[in-house]
Every structure is written in structure tokens, then in C-alpha cells.
Amino acid sequence: MEINKYSSVIRSLVIDDNFTAWVSAKDKPMFCAQLADLEDEHPIIKEIVSGAINQIFSRKAENRSNRTL
């Protein structure tokens, strides 16, 4: 498995502009799946990468809400 490749993809996608779009997305998992757009990869890899992106954005949102309390 090319962990460095997927790690790099995830890091390149978890930027502030994408986070802002994620916050306003109605279907956040679908947004992450479309964001990752790994056409040639196995469905499990797609699920793992998009799930990781969704978790990172979710934690970032949670951290921001905790700071405003």
C-alpha cells in the first residue's frame, strides 16, 4: 500500500478553502468522496481516504467550536 501517496493526497485536500466548503455541505461524506476523487483506486481505498478527510474536517470544526465557548 502506498501510504505516503495517500497521506500526501489527504494533506493536500485538508486546506481551509475545502474546510469552508465542507462546513456548508449538506452531505459531508459525499463531499469528501467527491473531493478525494480517486477514480483508479479500489473502493476500500476511496472509502478510507474520504473517511479520513471527513474525520479531519469534523475534528477541526469541533476544535473551532470549543475555542469559541
Side-chain angles (χ1 to χ4, degrees), residues 13-60:
L13 294 174
V14 291
I15 60 174
D16 285 338
D17 288 343
N18 289 338
F19 174 70
T20 302
W22 177 87
V23 168
S24 62
K26 291 181 183 181
D27 186 344
K28 292 173 179 8
M30 179 59 75
F31 173 82
C32 292
Q34 291 173 342
L35 187 62
D37 190 31
L38 300 169
E39 290 179 13
D40 298 331
E41 298 296 338
H42 190 278
I44 293 173
I45 297 296
K46 292 178 187 180
E47 184 73 24
I48 291 169
V49 172
S50 64
I53 293 168
N54 193 44
Q55 280 189 322
I56 291 167
F57 284 154
S58 180
R59 287 182 185 156
K60 188 171 186 174

